[in-house]
Each structure stands twice: as C-alpha cells, then as structure tokens.
Amino acid sequence: MSRSGADAERGSVAAEFALALPAVVLTLLLGAGALGAAAQLVSLQDAVADAARLLGRGESDATAHAAVTASIGGAAVSSEARGDFICVSARIDAQIGRLISVPLTASSCALSGGL
C-alpha cells in the first residue's frame, strides 16, 4: 500500500516549525539585547556630556564622576584637560545575554571655565 500525497506531508509543517523556532527566538533575543546596549550607550553619552559640563563650570572631579556613575553603574570614568577644553571619557561592558559582552565607550568635551 502506498500513501497518498497528503498523508506523506502530514506532520512536516510541525517538524519545520520545531526546527525554525529556536533560530527565531535566538534572533529576537539578540535583537532585544542589542537595543538594550544601544540604550545604555545613549545614557552613557548623556552622562559623560553632563560630567564634562560640570567640570567646565569648575565642579570637582568627584562630583563629575559621581554624575556618570549615578546614571550608569559600574562605569569607569576618566577626565583630562586638553587646552581650553576639559574632556570626560567613560567605559562600560554591556551584556547581551550571559555570554556576549560588548565594550561601550563615550567621551565628551566642554569649554573649561564656562558659566
């Protein structure tokens, strides 16, 4: 006895779905992780710009560094004078899932001695 064409295809859609589902889920999770890392980078850049303006107005290094670490916990912050400018840089490692770590860096400069 031979099977008809419809009987031979029975269950193939479920099998293909079971094979494709893990790849789709992984892609969605990686995409969500990448968006989270991008949001962290925007927050880091904003915090570094605020810190540079604080230093430009004459605030202490501790105050400026605290402003960055208050926005982004665990950020490594450094500052330096470059001529008439004061520049602040910060670095964090963004985690995408448990296995992927992406280094994110941001820097900003402000005119020293500003109001």
Side-chain angles (χ1 to χ4, degrees), residues 5-89:
D7 287 339
E9 294 293 320
R10 181 170 292 171
S12 65
V13 172
E16 290 172 1
F17 182 73
L19 288 173
L21 185 62
V24 170
V25 169
L26 181 64
T27 302
L28 289 174
L29 290 175
L30 287 175
L35 286 174
Q40 279 186 320
L41 181 59
V42 169
S43 295
L44 184 65
Q45 183 63 49
D46 187 47
V48 167
D50 290 344
R53 285 191 294 272
L54 285 170
L55 289 175
R57 289 195 312 243
E59 297 288 336
S60 68
D61 281 348
T63 302
H65 291 191
V68 174
T69 56
S71 291
I72 303 290
V77 185
S78 64
S79 58
E80 66 176 327
R82 295 182 190 164
D84 289 338
F85 293 96
I86 187 75
C87 298
V88 178
S89 298

